[in-house]
Amino acid sequence: MLALSFLLLIGFSLITEGFGIEIPKGYIYFSMAFSFLVDVFQMKMNKTGTPVATHEHYEESENKLK
């Protein structure tokens, strides 16, 4: 989702430059760095210590109804 928002931001800035409206690059770089930093903090906060428990592979032939 973050990469998609970066692509939309860059695309929007290119379209505005095509119409002659120039957005300062510092605003774009700051917004990208800030959102990346927030995403890194969010990943650190949502990190769980226990891994997901997996089960053995289910084979259809083992549990056929009679």
Side-chain angles (χ1 to χ4, degrees):
M1 189 56 100
L2 185 62
L4 178 62
S5 64
F6 286 167
L7 288 173
L8 288 173
L9 179 67
I10 293 169
F12 180 74
S13 68
L14 288 173
I15 289 172
T16 57
E17 284 183 11
F19 285 117
I21 304 168
E22 194 160 327
I23 300 172
K25 299 294 183 227
Y27 291 156
I28 296 171
Y29 294 147
F30 176 76
S31 64
M32 290 176 74
F34 180 75
S35 60
F36 180 73
L37 186 67
V38 168
D39 192 45
V40 168
F41 284 145
Q42 183 180 8
M43 285 190 294
K44 294 264 186 205
M45 295 294 291
N46 291 337
K47 191 175 187 180
T48 58
T50 59
V52 176
T54 59
H55 301 286
E56 292 183 26
H57 182 69
Y58 173 76
E59 291 187 18
E60 195 172 329
S61 62
E62 292 177 358
N63 295 327
K64 286 190 175 183
L65 294 175
K66 294 181 180 181

